[in-house]
Amino acid sequence: IALNQVLLTTSYAATDTSQIDAVFTWILDWTQKIGIGVIIWGAISIGLAYKNEDSNAMEKGLKMLVSGFMVASIDLLVSQFM
């Protein structure tokens, strides 16, 4: 009976989360901008490596390109849950 009373009690919490939402939005915006920058840098690295026929640099540029997409997609994934 005591457990029923604990589980059925209504609790009220402050629902104004606008400040923390603004902080999360700011962080996610910058995360996306940094990811796009890494994508651009990776694409430039791939182009320069292709020009110089350097397979190691091409692999590094491709890894950078993929990691940029991963960082930029964090914003899209989190915005699905907010």
Side-chain angles (χ1 to χ4, degrees):
I1 294 175
L3 183 60
N4 254 350
Q5 290 174 347
V6 170
L7 293 176
L8 296 177
T9 17
T10 306
S11 63
Y12 298 97
T15 58
D16 183 26
T17 60
S18 60
Q19 290 179 339
I20 193 74
D21 288 344
V23 171
F24 279 135
T25 302
W26 183 81
I27 291 171
L28 291 175
D29 285 345
W30 275 101
T31 303
Q32 187 178 24
K33 291 173 186 175
I34 291 170
I36 291 171
V38 172
I39 290 169
I40 292 169
W41 188 260
I44 291 171
S45 296
I46 290 172
L48 291 174
Y50 186 75
K51 182 189 107 185
N52 296 330
E53 296 179 3
D54 186 4
S55 62
N56 289 333
M58 200 175 303
E59 180 182 350
K60 183 180 175 184
L62 187 60
K63 286 180 182 178
M64 193 179 306
L65 185 76
V66 170
S67 64
F69 277 113
M70 291 170 61
V71 170
S73 68
I74 290 172
D75 177 49
L76 296 173
L77 291 174
V78 172
S79 66
Q80 294 292 323
F81 298 106
M82 283 183 66

